[in-house]
Amino acid sequence: MKKFSIGYRTLKTAIGAAIAIAIAQYFELASYASAGILTILCVQPTKKKSLHAAYTRFVASIIAMLYAFLSFELFTYHPLTLAAMLVVFIPTIVSLKVADGFVSSAVIIMHIYAAEGFSLALVYNELALMAIGYGTGIAINMYMPDIQKELNYYRVKIEELYSKIFLEIAEYLREGDTFWDGQELIQVVKALNSAKSLAFKDVENHFTRRENDYYVYFDMREQQLEIIERVLPKVTALPVIVQEASLVADFLQDLGEHVHSGNTAGKFREKLERVKRDFSQLPLPINHEEFLAQAALYQFIEEMDRYLEIKQSFKGLKVKKERPQ
């Protein structure tokens, strides 16, 4: 069984539904319990989604009232009339891109159908239910827990995984063999997916914010991972270990020990240039295997320059407590 837990959204849904019903009951509205249903439908994972949910449901409900009036008053309050109306109503809200409001609008339609008569009092009652239900849903969803600690957790985890990957590659280049199973690559992909999803959620909880520094950071790390995944098979499958491998290993050791969210890529690009110069001063390959090994290492160096270039374009994260560098 999945571990039983009660989250913020669950609590907000329960509290919001209770508040909406209590308000509707206080004003003695007919079908006051429906206010709770409307609130439940508006409690979404983010503030922006909650506003969008209220908008689509309000528009769909107004259209539903219009269709119900025309259908039931012009014809009759009969199940077949209801069916015919829904056949036209559903494509209408789909074309207007408010199909998410179908369930809430169906509640309004059923109220009108059950009343078997259209009146101003009924209209006021339904509008009041919508105002209370949607309004409570939006109000209760304005509180969102701070996810800064979670974002920072993923930042640290991803940096540690990157560090481990570089150190493992450096060990291979020195020893020519390693027991590394590459699990860090799988873990970092999962961590990046979760981190970007969480960062995007933070953007959705701020009406004036179009991007999140953490989201940009995780996106940058994802671009870097694509480079690592592309060159890793080549550098970990060298036909022979040549002298140049130790130069690259020393650089990766240094880089692996200094993976962080600040922007020091320029310094490491300078170090990489020195590696290139030292690389060029070493003897030429004496056989085909050494040639392939040197070519693979040089290609790796070029790709690592691109890796650092991506990081250099990132302005850096401002975190309260940075890992040691």
Side-chain angles (χ1 to χ4, degrees):
M1 284 183 63
K2 190 175 181 180
K3 185 179 178 182
F4 179 81
S5 63
I6 299 175
Y8 280 103
R9 188 179 171 190
T10 301
L11 288 172
K12 288 191 295 185
T13 301
I15 294 171
I19 292 174
I21 292 173
I23 295 174
Q25 193 172 6
Y26 174 79
F27 286 105
E28 298 182 346
L29 298 178
S31 304
Y32 55 81
S34 298
I37 297 175
L38 300 181
T39 295
I40 291 171
L41 294 172
C42 277
V43 178
Q44 299 291 318
T46 66
K47 294 178 182 179
K48 287 184 180 180
K49 286 184 178 180
S50 186
L51 281 176
H52 184 262
Y55 163 75
T56 57
R57 283 153 179 77
F58 178 77
V59 172
S61 297
I62 295 298
I63 296 172
M65 292 176 68
L66 178 62
Y67 271 58
F69 172 76
L70 294 174
S71 301
F72 297 139
E73 292 297 316
L74 292 179
F75 298 99
T76 180
Y77 286 80
H78 190 276
L80 291 178
T81 306
L82 175 63
M85 187 202 73
L86 290 176
V87 168
V88 179
F89 172 68
I90 294 174
T92 301
I93 59 175
V94 169
S95 64
L96 294 174
K97 298 181 180 180
V98 292
D100 290 343
F102 173 69
V103 175
S104 55
S105 60
V107 172
I108 304 299
I109 291 172
M110 297 311 166
H111 287 171
I112 297 172
Y113 181 81
E116 296 187 354
F118 211 90
S119 64
L120 285 178
L122 179 61
V123 173
Y124 292 150
N125 186 85
E126 299 307 310
L127 289 175
L129 287 175
M130 284 188 276
I132 294 170
Y134 301 147
T136 303
I138 292 173
I140 204 74
N141 221 36
M142 286 300 102
Y143 171 75
M144 288 291 175
D146 186 14
I147 60 174
Q148 190 72 18
K149 288 184 178 180
E150 292 180 75
L151 289 170
N152 199 51
Y153 162 78
Y154 279 113
R155 176 190 66 82
V156 174
K157 182 177 181 179
I158 290 167
E159 289 169 3
E160 289 175 346
L161 289 170
Y162 271 60
S163 178
K164 177 67 173 176
I165 291 169
F166 289 137
L167 294 178
E168 288 290 348
I169 298 173
E171 183 180 353
Y172 168 78
L173 291 174
R174 291 194 181 101
E175 304 298 330
D177 193 14
T178 180
F179 295 103
W180 184 43
D181 58 6
Q183 282 298 311
E184 285 78 9
L185 289 169
I186 299 174
Q187 293 172 20
V188 78
V189 169
K190 292 180 179 179
L192 280 169
N193 289 336
S194 298
K196 289 185 70 176
S197 177
L198 189 65
F200 182 75
K201 184 177 179 180
D202 186 61
V203 175
E204 289 284 293
N205 281 328
H206 294 82
F207 300 117
T208 58
R209 183 185 297 175
R210 293 190 176 182
E211 67 177 23
N212 176 285
D213 287 342
Y214 276 94
Y215 186 87
V216 176
Y217 173 74
F218 295 136
D219 186 63
M220 178 270 296
R221 288 298 187 191
E222 193 172 52
Q223 293 178 50
Q224 290 182 319
L225 183 62
E226 292 176 3
I227 293 176
I228 295 173
E229 290 178 328
R230 184 167 63 244
V231 299
L232 190 58
K234 296 180 180 180
V235 77
T236 56
L238 300 178
V240 291
I241 299 299
V242 292
Q243 285 181 289
E244 291 82 356
S246 63
L247 295 175
V248 178
D250 291 342
F251 172 78
L252 288 177
Q253 180 80 29
D254 189 14
L255 184 63
E257 292 173 352
H258 297 87
V259 178
H260 57 84
S261 57
N263 195 342
T264 56
K267 179 180 70 175
F268 279 97
R269 292 188 78 182
E270 292 176 3
K271 290 183 178 182
L272 195 59
E273 285 298 321
R274 290 198 292 270
V275 172
K276 289 181 182 180
R277 288 197 297 269
D278 293 341
F279 198 107
S280 64
Q281 293 173 3
L282 291 174
L284 294 173
I286 60 175
N287 55 47
H288 185 62
E289 287 186 336
E290 286 193 1
F291 173 77
L292 292 177
Q294 288 186 8
L297 287 170
Y298 192 81
Q299 184 179 5
F300 180 77
I301 290 174
E302 291 296 327
E303 290 287 359
M304 287 308 300
D305 187 57
R306 173 57 184 156
Y307 170 95
L308 293 169
E309 183 184 1
I310 292 172
K311 179 66 181 297
Q312 194 171 21
S313 65
F314 178 69
K315 64 181 180 180
L317 273 178
K318 294 181 180 179
V319 293
K320 292 182 180 179
K321 187 176 181 181
E322 185 62 82
R323 297 172 58 218
Q325 298 183 15

